[in-house]
Amino acid sequence: GQLGGTIRLLGEPAILDADGRSQPVRGHQAWALLARVLLARAPLDRRALAVELFPETVDPLGSLRWCLASLRKALNTSDCLNGDPIEGSFADDIDIDVLRLDRDDFDIEAAGPLLGALEPRCSPEFATWLLVERARIAGIVEARIRQETIRAMSVEDHGRATRLAELGVRRNPYDESAHILLVKSLALA
């Protein structure tokens, strides 16, 4: 029985309990595993996942089991990350940032890159997956920032519009539309 909590994977990863206290998670691979399971299109086969995450380990399945157990401990539940293929199935009262990107109440300004600066030492397959997912999520975040900037302009919240437009330019300095929005928001302010 668990009373909420937070899984944060956008920016420096963290698992927070209901009181906002950070729960210890050892090793980059555990975060890699959590991201991989949460963002998977379908439940993941244990053996394939073990090889992907622990390519240099003598006992990849054992390492995977250890990682899953440590994540369940941090989440204070035994009801998730079970089975083969591995089911994510997290309780509804756990707030998971990567699954809320399209929600209105999501704080788009706080969204960092997937897994922050972590570069887990996994297989080339995982490295490629992470690269693709980081780009996909960055695209969603940047689109949301543009939408929110335009929305802020339309309700004449010039401070927010300018702040968001600056964030858009910082995130993607080569995006012309980000610069146009910044100039427009500054002109309106």
Side-chain angles (χ1 to χ4, degrees), residues 131-148:
L131 197 70
V132 169
E133 281 299 296
R134 278 179 170 157
R136 183 183 72 81
I137 287 171
I140 294 170
V141 170
E142 283 155 21
R144 280 290 309 270
I145 289 171
R146 281 193 296 276
Q147 289 165 357
E148 300 278 327

Side-chain angles (χ1 to χ4, degrees), residues 11-23:
E12 189 186 345
I15 292 174
L16 309 173
D17 67 13
D19 300 320
R21 284 186 305 257
S22 187
Q23 300 304 301

Side-chain angles (χ1 to χ4, degrees), residues 26-41:
R26 292 222 314 272
H28 291 185
Q29 260 86 351
W31 295 117
L33 168 60
L34 191 53
R36 194 71 184 77
V37 169
L38 278 170
L39 293 168
R41 308 272 179 280

Side-chain angles (χ1 to χ4, degrees), residues 7 10 38-39 90 94 96-103 106:
I7 296 175
L10 300 174
L38 278 170
L39 293 168
F90 294 87
I94 297 183
I96 303 171
D97 60 359
V98 289
L99 304 183
R100 293 182 50 235
L101 278 167
D102 54 350
R103 296 250 304 268
F106 180 75

